[in-house]
Amino acid sequence: MKTRRLGANGPEISVVGYGGWEAGGTAWGPNESDDAVVAAMRAALDAGIDWIDTAEVYGDGESERLVGLSVAGRRDEVTIASKVAPSEEGSGFLPEQVRAACDASLGRLGTDRIDLYQLHWPDGTGVPLEDTWGAMAALQDAGKVRWIGVSNFSRELIARCEAIRHVDSLQPEFSMLNREHAATVAWCATNGTGVVSYGPLAFGLLTGAIGPDTVFPPGDWRTPSDEPEDPDEVDLFSPDRFPAALEAVAAIAKIAERVGVTTAQLALAWNAAQRGVTSAIAGSRNPDHVRSNAAAGDVELDEATLTELDAVLVGGGF
């Protein structure tokens, strides 16, 4: 598994990371059992993935609890990343709320430090970002977290944070089917900010396992809807985008077959090949899928293949 340094001063991490969103057991349907999720996480570690991303809002702390169980006895081998979210979904961004959220996450994770602590998305309740980021810096000074980052932030918001303390990482949604933040991802490389991209498999679309007749489990957020929760976000599962996405995936799958990898492996390797990306986060509760994802960390794509993929994406409107 290839590794890269996260930004200018961060840890060396594998180019494929394990994502703990599914492990929350809510947005992706219920977990089969604690043991099943722990087995998937441990399969990731055994396959060379050396970092796990989770958050307080993933199953209201359930994902963090399962991460703690999974890394027990192996804590020093694993870089753990977690996040605090604004209220009402999360603990809130007031300084005292950020401190309390960190302590609660530490307890669920069963550890004395969080390696990478992130703001999950921008606050919309009126809390000054400078106050929130100052609290993050204080947690770093206290040794409770080692590096601090943001998720779903714009360059302008990152600049406001930089005036107080360096932003070690950005976590944006980024995949072959959603390149909306490509310019920001590339800019991070010049700013010394690492990028850990979420959704690199387009939430299952780029595995090739989703088709026009796919029925998602109860509670799964991907169920197509004519009324997306956030009209400003790219919703690949909306009725007007889903067919085009499936066409693009079919074309990508043919390239993957020629290269000798799975569609998911090609998508992860493409992500890791983009300027600015440190690591791509892939989540699964299936150990076999996890091991296959991890194998993408050794795939090198030549310029001809990257150019061919770009032509497919542009031609499909992605």
Side-chain angles (χ1 to χ4, degrees), residues 81 83 124 129 160 239 275:
K83 313 178 198 74
L129 175 58
R160 287 172 60 184
R275 182 171 181 267

Side-chain angles (χ1 to χ4, degrees), residues 177-190:
L177 300 183
N178 184 356
R179 302 193 287 176
E180 180 182 8
H181 305 297
T184 299
V185 168
W187 170 82
C188 283
T190 66

